[in-house]
Amino acid sequence: MSYWVQRIAMAVLLLLAVSMLTFGAMNLLGDPLFNILGPTAQSVDVQGTAMVDGYAYQAAKDNPTSGLVVVVGVDELAPGEAIEASVGDTLPKRTDTVASLDAVTVTGDTVTIDSNVIAGSGVQNGPEPEQLFQVAAAEAEFYLDAPLPERYLRWLGDFVTGDMGPQFSKTGEPPVTDLIKERLPRTAMLVVMAQAMAVLISIPWALWSAAKSDTAIDKFSTITTFLIIALPNFALGVILKYVFAIQLGWFPQTFVASDPLPTRLWQLVLPALTIALGAAAVYQRLLRTDLITTLQEDFILMARSKGVTRRAVLFKHALRPSLFSFLTVFGITTGALIGGALIVETIFRVPGLGSAIVEAVVVEDFPTVLAIVMIIAFAFVVVNILVDVLYSLIDPRVRR
C-alpha cells in the first residue's frame, strides 16, 4: 500500500508544482488586467496634474463621503486614501479627482467630503473615473488586487471544484469550463486513437524486425524508422493530408463537430495516424532492441531446445519480459503526443484543445492556457501511474 501512496503523493506534488510555476509565470510575465480590459487597463498608470489646491483621491465613478486616510509620498493611491495636492503637482497613479480645500473637512489624518464634488474634477490629463471603476471591478472579480500567493490559492480552490474561471479575452463567455468540456473530448479521442495505432503498428513491426535481425529486411526497417522519427509531425501531417485527403480523397480534409460519432471517428483517422507514426517508430526501435536481447537469454534457448516454434517463442516467451522499456517510453511519450495533437489539430482543422490554446496564447487569455496546461499535466501523470500498474502486472517484484 505504501508504494501506491508514495506514487500518488508524488503525482499530486508534481501537479502542484506545474500549477504554481505556470500560474506564477503567467501573472508575472503577462498583464492579466490588460487581458481583461484592454487599453482601459492602462488608466491605472496615468498620472494627472492637480488644477486646484486640495486633497486628491480616487473617486472611481462615485465620490466617497466617509473619511479618507491621508497618506504621504505614495506612488499609487488605493481606494480610501487621499494625498494633499497643490496646483501643478503631478498626482499619484489612480488619482482621478481633487476636492478643493473649501469642499473638505480635515480631522487629524482623515479627510471628509463636505460638498458635492464632480468625479474627475480638479485633474488635468488624469485617468477617467469610469475607467478606474472598471479596473476596480475587474480586480475584485478576479482577485487581481490580492497578493500572488492568495490569488493562486483562490484559483486552485476554484479549479479543483471544476470552476476554471472566465475567459479574459471574451469577457468571460463562454466560461473556460464550458470551453474545455466542448474541446477536450475531441483531443482525447485523437490522442487515444493515436496511441492505439502506435501500439498496433509498433509491436508486430518490432517482432517481425527482431525475428529478421541483421538481414536486409531489418536494415530496411531501421532506415524507415529513422526517416519517420526525423520527420516532424507538422510536415508529416501536411504530406498525408495532401496525398490521402486532397489527391486521393480517401479521407475528409476537415473535422465537423456536428457529424455523428462514427463519421467523426473516421475524420480523425488521418490526424491520429499523423501522430501515431512517429511514436510507432520510436516504440519499434526500442522494443526491437529489447526483443533481440531477450531472445539470447537462457530460458529462450531452453524453449527452443524443447521444440517450441519460433512464433510461440516470440509471442509467449520473449514479448512480455521485453515490454518494460516499451511501457516506460509509452508513458513518457504521452505528453509529446498531446503536444503533437495540438499542432495536428490545426493542420486538420479539428476544434480541440490545440486550436483553443493557440487562440488563447494569441490574445494572452491565461485562464484558458492555464486550464489546458493543467489538463495536459494531469493526463501525463495519470498515464504514468497506469504504466506503473502495468509494471506490477508484468512483474510483481517492482512493488517490493
Side-chain angles (χ1 to χ4, degrees):
M1 179 61 71
S2 61
Y3 172 81
W4 293 113
V5 171
Q6 292 176 7
R7 299 301 297 173
I8 293 174
M10 290 177 59
V12 172
L13 290 176
L14 176 61
L15 290 174
L16 287 175
V18 170
S19 66
M20 284 189 287
L21 288 173
T22 309
F23 187 89
M26 291 186 176
N27 278 271
L28 295 176
L29 300 179
D31 185 358
L33 189 60
F34 184 84
N35 297 343
I36 301 168
L37 298 177
T40 300
Q42 297 173 346
S43 64
V44 299
D45 295 322
V46 174
Q47 292 180 268
T49 303
M51 300 300 293
V52 295
D53 295 334
Y55 285 87
Y57 59 96
Q58 182 186 147
K61 190 176 183 181
D62 297 320
N63 273 289
T65 56
S66 59
L68 299 167
V69 178
V70 179
V71 295
V72 178
V74 296
D75 295 326
E76 182 174 316
L77 280 181
E81 292 181 344
I83 189 169
E84 190 173 0
S86 300
V87 174
D89 286 351
T90 299
L91 301 173
K93 298 175 183 177
R94 303 201 184 206
T95 303
D96 61 359
T97 303
V98 177
S100 60
L101 293 175
D102 58 0
V104 302
T105 297
V106 182
T107 305
D109 61 351
T110 62
V111 174
T112 302
I113 309 297
D114 294 330
S115 59
N116 182 39
V117 177
I118 300 174
S121 62
V123 179
Q124 184 179 37
N125 300 324
E128 294 294 332
E130 181 63 30
Q131 291 180 323
L132 290 185
F133 174 76
Q134 295 175 15
V135 168
E139 288 178 333
E141 180 180 358
F142 302 107
Y143 315 125
L144 298 179
D145 53 350
L148 186 61
E150 179 183 344
R151 286 159 55 190
Y152 169 73
L153 292 176
R154 286 177 178 270
W155 170 83
L156 184 63
D158 292 339
F159 188 87
V160 296
T161 59
D163 181 7
M164 302 179 187
Q167 297 183 66
F168 283 177
S169 60
K170 296 182 179 179
T171 62
E173 296 297 335
V176 176
T177 304
D178 292 349
L179 178 70
I180 297 300
K181 288 179 180 178
E182 177 189 348
R183 302 291 187 93
L184 178 59
R186 300 162 191 166
T187 299
M189 281 195 299
L190 177 59
V191 174
V192 170
M193 287 178 65
Q195 280 285 40
M197 287 181 179
V199 172
L200 293 175
I201 294 171
S202 62
I203 291 180
W205 189 3
L207 289 167
W208 178 65
S209 186
K212 303 289 185 180
S213 61
D214 295 329
T215 65
I217 293 176
D218 183 41
K219 292 178 182 178
F220 177 77
S221 173
T222 299
I223 294 173
T224 303
T225 57
F226 286 151
L227 288 174
I228 295 175
I229 293 172
L231 197 61
N233 276 339
F234 62 87
L236 183 60
V238 170
I239 294 172
L240 293 179
K241 182 176 181 178
Y242 178 77
V243 174
F244 295 104
I246 297 175
Q247 291 296 320
L248 298 177
W250 293 355
F251 296 93
Q253 298 183 31
T254 58
F255 179 90
V256 181
S258 58
D259 284 347
L261 180 60
T263 304
R264 282 181 283 149
L265 290 175
W266 178 248
Q267 293 167 351
L268 288 176
V269 168
L270 202 56
L273 183 62
T274 302
I275 304 171
L277 285 177
V282 174
Y283 298 161
Q284 190 272 349
R285 293 302 305 160
L286 189 66
L287 185 56
R288 169 196 170 275
T289 302
D290 288 346
L291 281 168
I292 291 175
T293 302
T294 303
L295 288 172
Q296 298 173 359
E297 296 289 341
D298 291 340
F299 70 92
I300 298 294
L301 297 177
M302 177 66 71
R304 287 181 176 176
S305 67
K306 290 182 177 181
V308 179
T309 64
R310 188 172 185 83
R311 179 185 297 273
V313 167
L314 284 171
F315 282 94
K316 293 183 178 181
H317 298 279
L319 180 59
R320 181 172 175 176
S322 301
L323 287 176
F324 278 94
S325 298
F326 176 88
L327 290 175
T328 301
V329 175
F330 180 92
I332 295 174
T333 307
T334 299
L337 285 185
I338 296 174
L342 304 186
I343 299 174
V344 170
E345 284 179 2
T346 303
I347 296 174
F348 290 92
R349 300 179 184 177
V350 179
L353 294 183
S355 57
I357 199 171
V358 169
E359 295 166 3
V361 168
V362 169
V363 296
E364 299 183 7
D365 184 2
F366 92 80
T368 302
V369 175
L370 186 56
I372 295 175
V373 168
M374 289 306 302
I375 289 171
I376 294 173
F378 180 78
F380 179 81
V381 169
V382 169
V383 169
N384 280 274
I385 290 177
L386 293 177
V387 167
D388 283 347
V389 174
L390 292 175
Y391 282 157
S392 65
L393 294 177
I394 294 175
D395 189 349
R397 291 175 299 176
V398 300
R399 291 178 292 183
R400 297 177 183 176

